[in-house]
């Protein structure tokens, strides 16, 4: 059976994803097959059309969190390069339907490259989507990538002092305080593709805008993929400015605590 017909709204979201993938590649945040993107598209599809499409397609077993039952997710492929999303999104990514028992999925669109499979971070992405559906339902997109300056911060002694790390990054420019108002979570190291990493990231999103995975990368969610990217882009800008000051041999004056408090009216 052929791919499901994509609603116009979904095609618009795919264009945004391709655009953000280009940003990530140009910024050197997505070396080789680094990073992954997903989006909860459930609300865009007619459930009867989805069920008709999966009827004669291959079902793949996977142990999803129970709350993922019935979700329709866009997700990038394992081993695929994010730069391929720019021109070949149907080869480097797919849309899957998770069955009502959350015991597996059916690919309903894309995945056209040989031996394609969803990202190895599927458990993290699906778990975060379940958390957002229950606690932050407007956030439909997840971006995980490798912003260099944020990764450097995860190797710095400040990583063990989350409040101070955020204060120093916030103080570098007003935009960081305004547009990443909850700040960065210093998420302890956990092996990629594991439930432990998914759990740690969900804990991060209970209180912060960005989850900085220790010695690995950073993850954010947003209403769409561009808004998720914005959290990461602005947070990394603060980290970059801070490190530029250190590299130049001085401690930055930065915004004062009073100035940071004053900016809270815009958050």
């Amino acid at each position: 059976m052929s791919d499901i017909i994509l609603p116009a709204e979904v095609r618009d979201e795919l264009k945004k994803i391709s655009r953000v993938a280009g940003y990530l590649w140009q910024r050197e945040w997505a070396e080789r097959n680094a990073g992954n993107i997903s989006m909860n598209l459930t609300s865009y599809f007619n459930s009867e059309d989805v069920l008709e499409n999966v009827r004669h397609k291959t079902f793949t077993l996977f142990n999803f969190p129970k709350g993922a039952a019935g979700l329709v997710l866009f997700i990038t492929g394992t081993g695929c390069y994010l730069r391929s999303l720019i021109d070949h999104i149907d080869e480097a990514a797919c849309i899957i339907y998770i069955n009502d028992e959350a015991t597996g999925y059916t690919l309903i669109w894309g995945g056209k490259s040989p031996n394609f499979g969803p990202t190895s971070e599927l458990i993290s992405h699906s778990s975060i989507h379940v958390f957002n559906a229950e606690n932050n339902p407007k956030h439909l997109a997840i971006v995980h990538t490798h912003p260099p300056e944020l990764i450097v911060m995860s190797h710095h002694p400040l990583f063990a002092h989350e409040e101070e790390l955020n204060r120093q990054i916030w103080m570098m420019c007003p935009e960081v305080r305004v547009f990443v108002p909850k700040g960065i979570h210093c998420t302890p190291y956990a092996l990629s593709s594991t439930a432990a990493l998914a759990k740690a990231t969900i804990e991060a999103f209970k209180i912060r805008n960005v989850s900085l995975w220790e010695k690995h990368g950073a993850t954010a969610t947003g209403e769409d993929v561009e808004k998720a990217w914005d959290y990461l882009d602005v947070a990394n800008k603060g980290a970059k400015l801070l490190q530029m000051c250190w590299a130049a041999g001085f401690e930055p004056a930065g915004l004062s605590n009073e100035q940071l408090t004053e900016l809270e009216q815009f958050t």
Side-chain angles (χ1 to χ4, degrees), residues 12 50 66 72-73 78 94 101 105 111 130 142 160 166 169 190 194 199 221 223 258-259:
D12 288 342
V50 172
K66 294 302 180 185
V72 178
L73 301 181
T78 185
C94 67
E101 292 74 36
Y105 65 87
V130 170
I142 302 170
N166 275 291
I169 289 178
T194 62
K199 182 178 179 181
T221 76
E223 290 91 337
E258 291 75 17
Q259 289 167 333

Side-chain angles (χ1 to χ4, degrees), residues 3-196:
D3 282 353
I4 195 168
I5 297 174
L6 298 181
E9 298 90 342
V10 171
R11 295 197 298 272
D12 288 342
E13 296 303 324
L14 295 184
K15 290 177 184 176
K16 294 179 187 177
I17 290 168
S18 292
R19 193 155 54 238
V20 168
Y23 301 159
L24 296 172
W25 172 246
Q26 291 160 10
R27 293 281 292 276
E28 300 183 349
W29 289 17
E31 71 282 359
R32 200 175 183 273
N33 62 323
N36 32 72
I37 296 172
S38 68
M39 187 168 183
N40 183 351
L41 299 174
T42 311
S43 62
Y44 294 109
F45 283 95
N46 180 298
S47 59
E48 292 182 2
D49 291 342
V50 172
L51 292 174
E52 178 61 29
N53 185 270
V54 304
R55 194 180 305 278
H56 303 293
K57 289 194 168 186
T58 302
F59 176 77
T60 302
L61 290 170
F62 191 88
N63 187 25
F64 289 100
K66 294 302 180 185
L71 293 183
V72 178
L73 301 181
F74 167 90
I75 196 154
T76 47
T78 185
C80 292
Y81 297 0
L82 288 191
R83 64 177 184 257
S84 297
L85 298 178
I86 301 169
D87 297 315
H88 304 287
I89 194 168
D90 61 345
E91 297 178 8
C94 67
I95 297 174
I96 63 172
Y97 167 73
I98 301 172
N99 72 336
D100 288 341
E101 292 74 36
T103 55
Y105 65 87
T106 303
L107 192 153
I108 62 174
W109 178 90
K112 297 186 182 301
S113 58
N115 304 312
F116 179 90
T119 174
S120 59
E121 296 289 357
L122 182 56
I123 187 62
S124 291
H125 281 263
S126 58
S127 298
I128 294 168
H129 282 301
V130 170
F131 170 79
N132 277 344
E134 296 172 352
N135 298 278
N136 200 7
K138 291 184 178 180
H139 277 216
L140 300 178
I142 302 170
V143 175
H144 167 64
T145 187
H146 294 175
E149 287 79 13
L150 282 177
I151 293 173
V152 168
M153 295 306 300
S154 80
H155 289 266
H156 192 277
L158 274 175
F159 190 79
H161 305 279
E162 185 172 302
E163 292 295 334
E164 180 61 15
L165 178 144
N166 275 291
R167 190 190 71 82
Q168 292 205 32
I169 289 178
W170 274 330
M171 74 181 190
M172 293 313 302
C173 63
E175 286 75 13
V176 185
R177 183 68 184 95
V178 172
F179 295 116
V180 193
K182 295 182 180 179
I184 299 163
H185 185 271
C186 297
T187 308
Y189 183 84
L191 188 64
S192 298
S193 315
T194 62

